[in-house]
Amino acid sequence: MRRCESIRVLGGIVAGLRPRRLLVVAIAVIALLPIDISEAGWLPDLFKSSPKHVKPPKRAKSARQSTRPAKLARHRAPPKLHTTRLAALGPVALPPSVLKPSAGKCDPATFRIVLDVGHTAESEGAISARNVAEFAFNLRLARQIEERLKTEGFAETRLLLTEGKARPSLFRRVASANNLRADLLLSIHHDSVPNKMLEDWEFEGRKSHFSDRFSGYSVFVSRENPDFKTSLRFAELVAGEMKAQGFRYAEQYSQAIMGRDQHPLLNKEIGVYSYDELIVLRKTAMPAVLLEAGSIINRDEELKMGSPERRNSIAGGVASAVKEFCDPRWALFGPL
Ligand SMILES: [Zn+2]
């Protein structure tokens, strides 16, 4: 960042402050001007959130590194004073708006995440190796995530249950999410395999199908979503948390063997794929991510996905991802 750009950024911050705080910030500005911001280590992260002054990063960062805030002005938190440490200045009282000039720090009490329960009671999605419908898995997991987010203070979390046949239900769920003016959409699914890979077995006397070939979670975004970059950022947070829980991602979606179900792998460390055509990801007005939580056609993994412990781990991971999405400083500094 060149010096004149730095001055413009700081000028923008100062213009929004009341006189008493202005004095504090003025001291900080004077002290900082001789410093080349590009050499100040963590400072670029604090300023890169201003889209008018700073170009966005050319490629997405990993989940733990990413600090770009979402466009969440509607739900911006009321300013509170925090004490933080600015370079050599020592502790200085500054409002969060100084740390994040156009910041997307959201207020958990008003931030609305919609948890879209994949499929419907009428069109239940995949059938597990033990003949349980995917819809039942999706609903149980989504409810646990909803409970966890509400416990963490995200009171506006909404569970989105849709009725009807498969394709019309896709447009209906998109319309519902848009009408709810959601800030973020997370669609919850469980994975299977293409029919040609299914093998036969008998479960409780009934002819059934399975495939133990693949397992793991995967996270999808559409590059056609109106806010793809923010979608990708949240996807990387979710996938990063899944990996941190000790889960492996499903690698087969990058392989030719998947045919029509092969998708570009956007983050090979943590398992984020693009799935551009998915209606629920491309037609939603807000950032949207789809989580395939695990395989229910794999006989071992189906048992794990049915356990409260696994649902609890996933719910905890998603809640951490939402918290970090809402306040990128959480990842940088820990709770302030
Ligand atoms: Zn599904």
Side-chain angles (χ1 to χ4, degrees):
M1 182 188 288
R2 285 179 300 143
R3 181 73 49 83
C4 60
E5 287 175 315
S6 312
I7 293 169
R8 280 205 306 275
V9 170
L10 291 166
I13 299 163
V14 167
L17 294 174
R18 281 178 273 170
R20 211 171 53 187
R21 291 177 188 170
L22 189 61
L23 181 63
V24 178
V25 175
I27 294 167
V29 168
I30 291 163
L32 282 170
L33 279 179
I35 302 172
D36 184 338
I37 286 178
S38 68
E39 292 170 2
W42 50 271
L43 272 175
D45 283 341
L46 301 181
F47 286 94
K48 72 171 58 156
S49 60
S50 177
K52 284 181 184 168
H53 303 287
V54 184
K55 288 180 183 173
K58 282 183 180 169
R59 61 184 174 82
K61 294 183 169 187
S62 72
R64 283 290 176 195
Q65 290 173 320
S66 183
T67 56
R68 193 176 67 81
K71 296 170 185 170
L72 304 168
R74 186 161 68 83
H75 293 303
R76 193 161 298 156
K80 282 186 244 166
L81 280 177
H82 290 294
T83 300
T84 190
R85 192 172 285 274
L86 261 185
L89 293 175
V92 179
L94 294 172
S97 57
V98 170
L99 291 171
K100 292 284 184 186
S102 64
K105 182 181 184 302
C106 60
D107 181 356
T110 55
F111 182 79
R112 179 168 289 170
I113 177 165
V114 165
L115 300 169
D116 170 46
V117 180
H119 308 283
T120 69
E122 189 179 330
S123 175
E124 299 179 308
I127 299 297
S128 80
R130 292 171 180 81
N131 305 305
V132 178
E134 183 196 340
F135 179 68
F137 281 90
N138 296 343
L139 182 56
R140 272 190 302 186
L141 178 58
R143 279 191 171 138
Q144 189 134 353
I145 295 172
E146 178 195 22
E147 192 181 312
R148 183 62 167 264
L149 283 169
K150 285 185 170 169
T151 303
E152 301 271 3
F154 289 87
E156 284 294 310
T157 303
R158 294 284 185 275
L159 201 70
L160 178 55
L161 271 166
T162 313
E163 295 178 346
K165 291 182 178 166
R167 191 166 171 80
S169 84
L170 296 176
F171 292 97
R172 215 170 285 140
R173 69 187 70 232
V174 166
S176 299
N178 291 347
N179 287 339
L180 281 166
R181 300 190 67 201
D183 295 298
L184 198 58
L185 179 132
L186 179 63
S187 190
I188 307 292
H189 287 253
H190 288 73
D191 215 354
S192 184
V193 294
N195 285 345
K196 65 180 181 185
M197 293 182 188
L198 291 174
E199 298 173 55
D200 296 332
W201 74 314
E202 202 168 279
F203 177 70
E204 292 181 342
R206 188 172 157 193
K207 189 183 173 195
S208 308
H209 302 290
F210 77 97
S211 173
D212 294 337
R213 190 168 175 177
F214 304 120
S215 61
Y217 73 88
S218 42
V219 181
F220 294 92
V221 288
S222 170
R223 289 173 291 196
E224 294 177 22
N225 179 279
D227 194 350
F228 163 64
K229 284 185 176 178
T230 307
S231 301
L232 179 60
R233 194 172 87 79
F234 182 56
E236 291 189 320
L237 291 172
V238 171
E241 290 293 340
M242 291 292 282
K243 187 177 179 184
Q245 298 281 344
F247 307 137
R248 283 181 52 248
Y249 78 84
E251 295 178 4
Q252 71 269 21
Y253 286 110
S254 62
Q255 298 167 8
I257 193 172
M258 295 303 284
R260 284 189 320 169
D261 293 311
Q262 186 182 3
H263 299 292
L265 185 54
L266 302 182
N267 188 322
K268 65 179 170 50
E269 301 299 321
I270 52 179
V272 176
Y273 293 91
S274 75
Y275 196 159
D276 298 332
E277 307 80 23
L278 270 185
I279 291 168
V280 77
L281 297 183
R282 64 188 275 258
K283 293 285 188 186
T284 33
M286 73 293 303
V289 168
L290 186 145
L291 171 65
E292 293 279 5
S295 172
I296 53 171
I297 201 69
N298 179 306
R299 291 174 295 185
D300 259 6
E301 192 153 86
E302 180 193 6
L303 294 177
K304 290 173 186 160
M305 299 313 295
S307 73
E309 293 76 21
R310 176 61 66 96
R311 285 198 296 276
N312 198 39
S313 299
I314 296 171
V318 170
S320 295
V322 172
K323 279 191 284 188
E324 199 174 327
F325 179 86
C326 244
D327 188 354
R329 296 173 309 157
W330 194 74
L332 281 175
F333 304 116
L336 290 173

